Structures are given as structure tokens and as C-alpha cells.
Amino acid sequence: MYVLDNFYTYVYYNGDARNKLQYVTKLGDKKIDYIFIGSSRVENHIDCDLIQQITGKSCLNLGKQGAKLGDGLLMILLLNNYDVKYSKIFYQLDYTSNYYGLEKSTRAQAYPLVKKSGNKELKGILNLSRLYNIPFYGYAKQDKVIGIRELTATLINRKSKRKIGKRICS
């Protein structure tokens, strides 16, 4: 189980970004002028290409379907944890801000990143039970989102059909 756990973590952490959380970890020391965080309204209605065209500033859209308050907080912590520099963050506030917690797929996608980083704030947001300390348990539990299909797609460098990083302009 240790071998599988370490293998999944290595592939997920080092492979090409297939979701926005992974994409943030790949940005490194990149400087971004405007970052937009929120739910599907942000994801579908903020056009970073247009923002760059009008303002000349770089832009990153980190909107996510069904995002709750915890999803935004997780994104901000990841940006800071991975030393992404930014000028302004715009956070969408609406009725979803009444719901703390994480959208189910966000929790699954964040698990390997938190496991690798060991950051206590990130672990606190995920609110993982002690069972997640058992090797490979977290991957087995989150199999629908980060299971063997996602691992295989990452290994063969299959590009995601989602808009990931496509909305960043520099």
C-alpha cells in the first residue's frame, strides 16, 4: 500500500495539470495581475483574454462549478503556499458564501497536494479523518475523481477537456 500511495502521489503531483488545483501548483513564481475566484458564474463569465486585451494586465480565472467558501479559501492558500505572486484577487460573493466546506471534487483533487505539502492549514480545510493516514486509503476513498482513470490519463499525458490554464494571459 505504501508503494501505491507514493506512486499515485508522485504521478498526481508531478504530471501535467488536469485540474485547476494542479495548475496553481505549476505556476511557481509567476506574477499574475488579476485572479478571479468563485463559482460557475466566474468560470463562465470572466473572459481573461478580453481583460488582457483591454487592460494589458495578466489574468487567471479560477472559477469552479459548485464552489463554496472553502474552495476559494483553498485556492488562496494554494496560491500563497506555492509562491504565486498576484496584485489583486477578486472573490465572488453570493449565496454560496453561506456554505462553508468544499465541493466534493475539490476535496478529492486537493488530497494529493495536501498529502505532499504537509501544510497544516491545507489539511485543516480538508478536514480529513484519521483514516486518511492509512496508506492509499485517501486514493481509494476518492477513486471516482482521482482514481486509476485519472492516474492513467496523467501518465499518458492526455490533456483535460476542462478549461485549465487556458484563461491565463500574460
Side-chain angles (χ1 to χ4, degrees):
M1 289 301 161
Y2 282 110
V3 172
L4 276 175
D5 190 75
N6 288 329
F7 179 67
Y8 266 62
T9 302
Y10 177 82
V11 170
Y12 190 85
Y13 195 81
N14 294 308
D16 287 337
R18 293 189 44 82
N19 61 56
K20 291 183 180 183
L21 296 176
Q22 284 177 307
Y23 184 74
V24 166
T25 66
K26 306 285 187 227
L27 289 174
D29 290 330
K30 191 165 181 92
K31 172 80 164 84
I32 301 167
D33 293 310
Y34 303 136
I35 297 176
F36 293 87
I37 298 175
S39 68
S40 59
R41 287 174 193 83
V42 170
E43 184 176 32
N44 296 322
H45 299 291
I46 299 296
D47 186 349
C48 282
D49 294 332
L50 184 61
I51 289 171
Q52 187 208 7
Q53 186 179 26
I54 293 171
T55 66
K57 304 281 186 177
S58 60
C59 174
L60 177 60
N61 183 334
L62 293 176
K64 184 167 177 30
Q65 302 287 332
K68 298 177 185 170
L69 192 59
D71 294 282
L73 179 59
L74 178 66
M75 283 291 190
I76 293 168
L77 284 173
L78 282 174
L79 288 165
N80 292 333
N81 197 43
Y82 287 93
D83 297 323
V84 178
K85 308 290 186 259
Y86 50 87
S87 298
K88 295 183 191 243
I89 290 182
F90 295 94
Y91 191 90
Q92 172 209 0
L93 290 175
D94 65 3
Y95 73 94
T96 60
S97 301
N98 293 329
Y99 304 104
Y100 188 78
L102 296 170
E103 196 264 331
K104 289 180 183 179
S105 68
T106 302
R107 178 183 307 280
Q109 292 166 354
Y111 171 71
L113 303 175
V114 171
K115 183 177 181 58
K116 176 82 172 169
S117 75
N119 186 308
K120 289 182 182 183
E121 286 179 309
L122 295 174
K123 281 185 180 181
I125 290 175
L126 287 183
N127 195 21
L128 300 173
S129 72
R130 291 182 184 223
L131 292 174
Y132 278 87
N133 293 329
I134 299 170
F136 201 67
Y137 174 82
Y139 291 107
K141 178 84 171 157
Q142 307 292 348
D143 185 59
K144 284 185 177 180
V145 179
I146 59 172
I148 190 73
R149 295 178 88 192
E150 193 67 20
L151 178 80
T152 304
T154 303
L155 281 172
I156 63 173
N157 291 325
R158 184 172 160 209
K159 299 295 178 198
S160 176
K161 293 181 182 176
R162 297 181 196 113
K163 297 175 189 169
I164 300 168
K166 193 174 186 180
R167 297 283 180 156
I168 187 170
C169 306
S170 47

